Amino acid sequence: MDYGTLDESSRQAAMKKANSAELSAREKLALELADYIMAYHGQLPDELYNQLKQHFSKEEIIALFFQIGSKNGANWFIIAMGILNE
């Protein structure tokens, strides 16, 4: 599902479905982080960042940002090049 194309209420409904799965608190938080980075171009609420600091080390937070950012950048490249439309 492309969260970026959904309006806020639809995005929240999609996240509720993800949160209802049998995921650990760390996994749910990592998914929430990915959602915010993708939907809000990296603009995170202080509350979310404080939650990250409670569940992840600084190194883990950096790794999460790197993984989300690199996947996002690769997807933008694929879209720009029209690779999947061939």
Side-chain angles (χ1 to χ4, degrees):
M1 173 175 291
D2 181 4
Y3 289 134
T5 62
L6 300 175
D7 62 45
E8 184 63 22
S9 62
S10 297
R11 284 177 32 25
Q12 292 302 322
M15 285 303 291
K16 282 182 184 177
K17 286 183 183 179
N19 287 335
S20 68
E22 296 295 322
L23 301 175
S24 70
R26 284 170 48 101
E27 291 168 329
K28 289 177 184 180
L29 192 54
L31 286 174
E32 186 176 354
L33 173 64
D35 179 58
Y36 268 91
I37 288 174
M38 301 296 285
Y40 302 109
H41 306 287
Q43 300 296 316
L44 303 180
D46 290 338
E47 180 181 329
L48 177 57
Y49 187 70
N50 290 332
Q51 288 176 353
L52 287 169
K53 292 191 301 186
Q54 291 176 6
H55 291 275
F56 296 97
S57 69
K58 288 181 182 180
E59 293 81 7
E60 290 172 323
I61 293 171
I62 291 168
L64 285 167
F65 276 105
F66 178 79
Q67 287 297 319
I68 294 165
S70 63
K71 301 293 188 278
N72 193 24
N75 286 332
W76 287 343
F77 177 78
I78 288 169
I79 292 166
M81 298 302 294
I83 292 172
L84 296 178
N85 294 330
E86 293 181 358

